């Protein structure tokens, strides 16, 4: 984490003071909203560069300088942004400066909040990692971290637990091939999550057989605190063998479908705060969550999970290209750490209006002499957003109801669908850097065929990595159209332009 002070780092040059209020935002979308309210009275800097991915942007020294000298900071949060960016913001922003998570405050301004619904469209179980609870009694905040470490493995081959980030770069959490080093606290085999968060990942096994993975969990409320032990356990995988005949586990529950997590409870609600399995066999809305003891549970990795190591050299940790492995896939594209609420509120224009009101009130509080200007700017922009909301609704309404299906790679459009009557039929694509399997191609093709989808939609900054969706669409003569989610580009540089472009693209390609 970058944590410095203006006086303690000679490389942090003091920016010139031109009398304007200095504002930092995490994303370009939030920066545009802040500029509309602040006008010429405010200097706004976005920490995530244009076209960048807020889910994976790592803070730079320039980001820290902007934070240190800011008069106000606006993030989206609800775990949208990369955790290191949030830590840099919280560690370096002066204590008396407003640090505003817009999505988390938006409900007070009549924003509509919806749960994050995950589409488990897989032939195998979808296994992730989860931290439940806030850890308030431990002194934890949104900048705190929980460390889930692999400490040992018994099995016939190697295990690699990793995720593939939005632009195809693998991030390895656990890798048994080089052992587990207790001397450095298992640093090379540790996944780090914020409180009350969840992450997707892939689990690869080099040989069939029974694997037993030892894991521990610790909480670190602040960088100055010693880690607080949260528990340890052993997770059992049956890879390519009968999960009902694992030695010593007669009558064990077998998890073979839906969504499950290796979970730890920060608040100690589930069992004694230790590690356990938190599963939803149906997948989706977390309506049927079950708690399972790892000592009485087997996770099945069936033979239909066999795949090949991709040719991309970045995936050599899995073996040589073309070799067979068993793999439980990540399922959702990108570094996708999140909580229970969908963080992409701005895809509903009325939620963006709530963001604008929060920004207006924050600027008015820190610069009361110009309050009238901020209120006038906000009022004018809110009128423009009222017109935008009407335009988006009317434009999407031109699409026949039978054709309002959105198929895309990024689970960022739930609010768009909820607000404007779109059915999010988005197929959960595989990792962008891996070759699509026959099963994945078949499922996507069937989804497009069954719904008679005339077009699929890709975010411009992800298009080159969305190989499966692109290939299947081209084979079927289905159009590939743009849609903007988290970032602008050189053609679309404002929130109003982005939402108009999305509405036009949907109408033109589906209607």
């Amino acid at each position: 984490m970058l944590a410095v002070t203006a006086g303690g780092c000679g490389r942090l040059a003091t920016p010139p003071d031109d009398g304007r209020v200095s504002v930092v935002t995490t994303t370009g979308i939030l920066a545009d909203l802040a500029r509309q309210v602040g006008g010429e009275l405010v200097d706004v800097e976005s920490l995530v560069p244009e076209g960048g991915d807020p889910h994976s942007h790592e803070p730079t020294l320039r980001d820290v300088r902007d934070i240190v000298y800011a008069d106000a900071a606006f993030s989206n949060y609800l775990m949208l942004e990369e955790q290191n960016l949030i830590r840099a913001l919280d560690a370096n922003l002066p204590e008396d400066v407003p640090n505003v998570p817009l999505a988390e405050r938006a409900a007070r301004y009549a924003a509509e909040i919806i749960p994050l619904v995950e589409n488990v469209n897989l032939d195998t179980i979808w296994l992730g990692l989860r931290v439940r609870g806030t850890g308030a009694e431990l002194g934890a905040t949104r900048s705190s971290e929980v460390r889930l470490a692999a400490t040992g493995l018994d099995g016939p081959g190697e295990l690699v637990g990793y995720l593939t980030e939005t632009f195809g770069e693998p991030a390895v959490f656990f890798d048994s091939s080089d052992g587990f080093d207790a001397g450095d606290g298992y640093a090379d085999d540790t996944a780090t999550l914020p409180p009350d968060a969840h992450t997707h990942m892939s689990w690869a096994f080099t040989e069939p057989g029974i694997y037993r993975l030892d894991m521990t969990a610790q909480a670190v409320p602040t960088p100055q605190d010693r880690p607080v032990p949260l528990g340890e356990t052993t997770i059992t995988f049956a890879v390519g063998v009968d999960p009902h005949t694992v030695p010593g586990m007669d009558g064990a529950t077998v998890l073979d479908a839906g969504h499950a997590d290796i979970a730890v409870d920060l608040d100690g609600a589930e069992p004694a705060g230790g590690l356990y399995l938190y599963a939803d066999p149906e997948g989706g809305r977390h309506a049927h969550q079950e708690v399972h003891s790892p000592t009485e549970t087997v996770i099945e990795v069936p033979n239909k999970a066999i795949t090949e190591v991709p040719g991309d050299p970045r995936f050599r940790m899995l073996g040589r290209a073309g070799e067979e492995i068993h793999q439980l896939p990540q399922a959702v594209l990108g570094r996708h750490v999140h909580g229970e609420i969908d963080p992409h509120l701005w895809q509903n224009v009325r939620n963006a209006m709530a963001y604008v009101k929060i920004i207006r009130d924050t600027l008015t509080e820190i610069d009361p002499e110009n309050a009238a200007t901020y209120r006038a700017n906000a009022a004018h922009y809110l009128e423009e957003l009222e017109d935008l909301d009407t335009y988006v609704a009317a434009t999407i309404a031109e699409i026949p109801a039978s054709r309002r299906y959105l198929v895309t790679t990024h689970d960022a459009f739930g609010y768009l669908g909820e607000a404007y009557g779109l059915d999010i039929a988005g197929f959960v694509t595989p990792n962008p850097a891996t070759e699509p399997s026959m099963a994945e191609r078949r499922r996507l093709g069937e989804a497009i065929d069954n719904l008679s989808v005339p077009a699929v939609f890709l975010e411009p900054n992800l298009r080159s990595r969305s190989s499966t969706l692109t290939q299947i669409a081209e084979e079927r003569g289905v159009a590939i159209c743009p849609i903007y989610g988290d970032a602008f580009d050189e053609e679309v540089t404002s929130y109003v332009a982005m939402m108009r472009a999305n509405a036009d693209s949907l109408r033109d390609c589906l209607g």
Side-chain angles (χ1 to χ4, degrees), residues 104-239:
E104 297 178 19
R105 296 193 184 179
R108 306 175 196 172
Y109 288 75
E112 297 180 14
I113 308 297
I114 63 175
L116 186 60
V117 179
E118 299 168 324
N119 179 13
V120 184
N121 203 344
L122 297 170
D123 288 338
T124 62
I125 192 170
W126 177 4
L127 184 66
L129 302 175
R130 182 182 294 269
V131 177
R132 298 181 67 197
T134 63
E137 292 185 3
L138 299 175
T141 68
R142 71 175 192 172
S143 294
S144 301
E145 64 182 33
V146 176
R147 300 170 182 170
L148 294 135
T151 60
L153 179 73
D154 178 36
E158 306 298 344
L159 178 153
V160 179
Y162 71 99
L163 63 78
T164 304
E165 298 179 348
T166 307
F167 295 103
E169 190 70 30
V172 177
F173 291 155
F174 318 126
D175 185 352
S176 68
S177 65
D178 56 359
F180 300 94
D181 188 359
D184 64 0
Y186 306 101
D188 291 337
D189 294 287
T190 297
T192 301
L193 292 175
D196 212 20
H198 162 82
T199 187
H200 314 136
M201 58 186 294
S202 295
W203 301 79
F205 305 83
T206 61
E207 299 290 341
I210 304 300
Y211 290 75
R212 291 182 168 89
L213 177 67
D214 298 326
M215 297 188 68
T216 65
Q218 298 175 320
V220 186
T222 73
Q224 292 75 38
D225 292 332
R226 290 186 176 183
V228 179
L230 297 175
E232 59 184 39
T233 196
T234 299
I235 308 296
T236 302
F237 298 88
V239 180

Side-chain angles (χ1 to χ4, degrees), residues 143-434:
S143 294
S144 301
E145 64 182 33
V146 176
R147 300 170 182 170
L148 294 135
T151 60
L153 179 73
D154 178 36
E158 306 298 344
L159 178 153
V160 179
Y162 71 99
L163 63 78
T164 304
E165 298 179 348
T166 307
F167 295 103
E169 190 70 30
V172 177
F173 291 155
F174 318 126
D175 185 352
S176 68
S177 65
D178 56 359
F180 300 94
D181 188 359
D184 64 0
Y186 306 101
D188 291 337
D189 294 287
T190 297
T192 301
L193 292 175
D196 212 20
H198 162 82
T199 187
H200 314 136
M201 58 186 294
S202 295
W203 301 79
F205 305 83
T206 61
E207 299 290 341
I210 304 300
Y211 290 75
R212 291 182 168 89
L213 177 67
D214 298 326
M215 297 188 68
T216 65
Q218 298 175 320
V220 186
T222 73
Q224 292 75 38
D225 292 332
R226 290 186 176 183
V228 179
L230 297 175
E232 59 184 39
T233 196
T234 299
I235 308 296
T236 302
F237 298 88
V239 180
V241 298
D242 187 350
H244 299 282
T245 59
V246 176
M249 299 190 72
D250 294 342
T253 299
V254 174
L255 298 181
D256 58 3
H259 185 180
D261 294 303
I262 300 171
V264 63
D265 198 307
L266 264 186
D267 299 331
E270 294 293 349
L275 283 157
Y276 55 96
L277 290 161
Y278 191 58
D280 176 6
E282 302 298 323
R285 294 183 178 269
H286 311 290
H288 305 94
Q289 292 287 8
E290 303 169 350
V291 172
H292 297 277
S293 168
T295 62
E296 301 173 350
T297 309
V298 175
I299 296 171
E300 183 182 9
V301 186
N303 282 314
K304 61 187 175 183
I306 291 176
T307 188
E308 292 184 353
V309 176
D312 191 323
R314 294 177 294 182
F315 289 81
R316 288 297 176 264
M317 78 281 188
L318 303 178
R320 289 182 295 183
E323 288 183 340
E324 283 192 349
I325 57 173
H326 286 72
Q327 179 166 273
L328 298 178
Q330 177 178 331
V332 170
L333 173 69
R335 182 184 289 272
H336 208 73
V337 174
H338 59 74
E340 301 301 323
I341 302 298
D342 187 336
H344 304 87
L345 275 71
W346 63 87
Q347 289 291 340
N348 178 344
V349 176
R350 305 207 75 80
N351 286 347
M353 294 171 71
Y355 282 21
V356 168
K357 294 173 184 177
I358 299 169
I359 294 169
R360 174 200 63 197
D361 292 350
T362 303
L363 293 178
T364 297
E365 179 182 346
I366 64 176
D367 185 19
E369 291 184 4
N370 292 301
T373 301
Y374 297 134
R375 292 192 185 105
N377 290 346
H380 176 76
Y381 189 48
L382 288 169
E383 289 180 3
E384 186 176 355
L385 294 182
E386 285 277 7
D387 293 341
L388 175 65
D389 182 57
T390 300
Y391 179 85
V392 173
T395 302
I396 292 177
E398 295 179 27
I399 306 168
S402 62
R403 296 166 67 91
R404 291 181 202 159
Y405 291 105
L406 177 59
V407 178
T408 185
T409 57
H410 184 194
D411 189 13
F413 301 98
Y415 288 95
L416 185 70
E418 184 85 6
Y420 305 108
L422 281 169
D423 188 340
I424 308 300
F427 183 85
V428 181
T429 65
N431 300 333
T434 61

Side-chain angles (χ1 to χ4, degrees), residues 444-460:
L444 178 55
E446 288 175 353
I448 293 174
D449 293 341
N450 292 341
L451 298 174
S452 299
V453 174
V456 299
F457 294 83
L458 300 180
E459 293 167 74

Side-chain angles (χ1 to χ4, degrees), residues 422-498:
L422 281 169
D423 188 340
I424 308 300
F427 183 85
V428 181
T429 65
N431 300 333
T434 61
E435 291 298 320
S437 70
M438 292 304 296
E440 290 159 349
R441 295 173 64 86
R442 185 187 71 251
R443 283 196 299 269
L444 178 55
E446 288 175 353
I448 293 174
D449 293 341
N450 292 341
L451 298 174
S452 299
V453 174
V456 299
F457 294 83
L458 300 180
E459 293 167 74
N461 62 334
L462 302 183
R463 178 165 181 159
S464 64
R465 293 290 182 180
S466 303
S467 59
T468 303
L469 193 57
T470 300
Q471 290 174 16
I472 298 300
E474 290 177 346
E475 289 172 2
R476 283 166 166 72
V478 171
I480 302 171
C481 299
I483 193 167
Y484 292 85
D486 298 324
F488 302 144
D489 64 6
E490 64 278 1
E491 295 182 8
V492 171
T493 59
S494 73
Y495 174 73
V496 170
M498 181 188 83

